[in-house]
Amino acid sequence: MGPITNRYTELVGIDHPIVQEGLGPFRTPRLAAAVSNAGGLGTVSMPGMPTDLEAGARTFREHIEECASLTDRPFAVNIPVGVDGDGTVLPFTEVYIRTVLEARRSDTAIAQRLTVLTTSAGFPGPFIGPIKDSGLIHQHKVGATRQAVKAAEAGVDVVIAAGFEMGGHAPSKKVHTFVLVPSITEAVDVPVVLTGGARDARGLAAALAMGADGVAMGTRFITTTDNDWHPAYIQALLDAKEGDDVAFDGVYGPCRGLRNEASQQLVDASGHDTAPDGLSAVELTRWKIDSMQRAQNEGDVSGSLVLTGQVASAINELVSIAEFVPAMAEEAAQILRRLAANLGAPVAG
Ligand SMILES: Cc1cc2nc3c(=O)[nH]c(=O)nc-3n(C[C@H](O)[C@H](O)[C@H](O)COP(=O)(O)O)c2cc1C
């Protein structure tokens, strides 16, 4: 048991209320296992949207199996609910959710470890029943209080409150964590996890003070010694300064990454009918995903999309996950104890 236990750590069965959230379309089984082994909750990310979705499903299953072979602690998977212009859910979401349910049905070792499914992007309505019936804990990431209430009323177990400073796809309402999190914790009864901008114990202590039950980080976990990201990508995040990030049109709405040639092309094209290189909408989506994967796998950090949160500007060193996660929880507990000790006695009456 860790120094900070609460209804979220008890629900999910983890030592520390610290989550490595989905980082698709990159492969994260090793990273997820390292975070779960350190007492947090790691997440296996969605593997992109290949034209051959069954091939994508096989890759996803391999990533899940790899993570289950590296940890015997609980871990999660992240599956965005992709929605097209008409509001129709894109086929990859259903295929990947089916893959997860089937992996748990067919393999008890996976079922014991893969106990949490996080949806993000669109509303997961029709998937909530099957996810819950399978015995999974369902977390859903939202960017607005109204979305949090809707998800909690529909039966989601945990809400992840995502502020606009976050890395990757960011909420279209553009509300930042400091405004969003207290509004959401006030509006729903289920556990709430802050995502966006957290990087250390101070962020965790602040999240708890705002009524949240934990933090989910992306950028901080990319800049660790325990993952498969290309070294040039990691270095670009370590080098980033305030103002080096920008929001551009991503695959499911606004997306945050480093300012470079690739993101500038999307910023320039925003609001115009012309996509970069005259691509159609479908081709443009593929271009974006290929570009993200090229940056992550090949380290092309100037000509490809380098997703990161604004918090990269404040991260200057690599950390080891095994040391970092328990130390972050311990230091957050110390901060809260110190603050409580500095308070005077309650005023009588
Ligand atoms: C490279 C990258 C890829 C991401 N991919 C996904 C994803 O596939 N699904 C998702 O729900 N969120 C995704 N996110 C958002 C993260 O899960 C997390 O919420 C975010 O990084 C939190 O903000 P932070 O970077 O300030 O910690 C991604 C973020 C980054 C930086």
Side-chain angles (χ1 to χ4, degrees):
M1 197 192 285
I4 299 172
T5 53
N6 57 28
R7 61 183 179 158
Y8 180 65
T9 57
E10 279 165 17
L11 174 71
V12 179
I14 52 178
D15 294 338
H16 311 299
I18 297 172
V19 179
Q20 166 257 320
E21 232 294 273
L23 296 167
F26 195 60
R27 65 185 319 282
T28 57
R30 192 160 81 88
L31 174 61
V35 174
S36 290
N37 284 334
L41 181 71
T43 302
V44 172
S45 307
M46 67 87 89
M49 301 179 210
T51 329
D52 179 356
L53 274 184
E54 290 308 324
R58 283 193 296 278
T59 306
F60 199 21
R61 169 85 184 233
E62 282 165 22
H63 291 185
I64 290 167
E65 285 174 0
E66 184 182 342
C67 188
S69 73
L70 294 172
T71 185
D72 55 9
R73 310 293 298 268
F75 70 90
V77 285
N78 169 268
I79 303 175
V81 179
V83 178
D84 71 11
D86 311 333
T88 310
V89 174
L90 299 175
F92 81 86
T93 301
E94 199 262 325
V95 170
Y96 288 163
I97 290 179
R98 188 163 25 89
T99 302
V100 170
L101 302 190
E102 169 53 25
R104 277 173 45 87
R105 259 197 307 271
S106 63
D107 187 329
T108 40
I110 291 179
Q112 281 162 0
R113 297 163 172 84
L114 169 45
T115 51
V116 181
L117 191 152
T118 303
T119 48
S120 52
F123 182 62
F127 303 113
I128 296 174
I131 292 170
K132 287 189 76 94
D133 290 348
S134 76
L136 282 159
I137 296 165
H138 185 179
Q139 311 192 129
H140 182 58
K141 191 185 285 185
V142 301
T145 306
R146 193 179 49 78
Q147 295 165 356
V149 171
K150 187 175 169 189
E153 282 176 352
V156 160
D157 301 300
V158 176
V159 164
I160 302 185
F164 191 54
E165 60 271 65
M166 69 185 283
H169 284 88
S172 52
K173 298 279 184 217
K174 303 186 179 173
V175 185
H176 291 80
T177 49
F178 220 76
V179 174
L180 185 68
V181 173
S183 298
I184 289 186
T185 57
E186 210 171 275
V188 300
D189 291 330
V190 296
V192 174
V193 174
L194 172 153
T195 197
R199 70 177 152 105
D200 62 15
R202 293 168 297 180
L204 175 55
L208 298 176
M210 287 193 279
D213 300 87
V215 294
M217 298 180 290
T219 302
R220 175 67 276 187
F221 280 122
I222 297 172
T223 45
T224 55
T225 52
D226 316 68
N227 67 57
D228 302 316
W229 249 270
H230 195 283
Y233 194 115
I234 295 178
Q235 193 57 48
L237 301 200
L238 294 176
D239 291 344
K241 301 283 178 289
E242 291 176 0
D244 285 351
D245 63 292
V246 64
F248 50 85
D249 286 340
V251 176
Y252 333 101
C255 187
R256 187 175 301 285
L258 290 183
R259 283 181 197 280
N260 64 9
E261 282 165 37
S263 58
Q264 192 57 47
Q265 269 185 286
L266 295 173
V267 170
D268 292 345
S270 182
H272 297 88
D273 287 341
T274 50
D277 302 328
L279 301 175
S280 71
V282 172
E283 289 165 343
L284 182 59
T285 297
R286 170 106 357 257
W287 180 90
K288 290 173 184 173
I289 294 172
D290 288 349
S291 179
M292 291 171 196
Q293 285 178 323
R294 208 168 37 249
Q296 291 163 335
N297 292 318
E298 297 167 25
D300 174 14
V301 293
S302 52
S304 301
L305 294 170
V306 180
L307 306 194
T308 178
Q310 216 163 60
V311 74
S313 65
I315 294 174
N316 306 309
E317 82 303 333
L318 293 181
V319 289
S320 138
I321 289 173
E323 291 163 16
F324 172 77
V325 170
M328 176 173 166
E330 180 51 43
E331 201 186 323
Q334 281 170 17
I335 291 171
L336 294 170
R337 275 187 222 112
R338 197 170 58 236
L339 290 174
N342 287 344
L343 297 175
V347 179

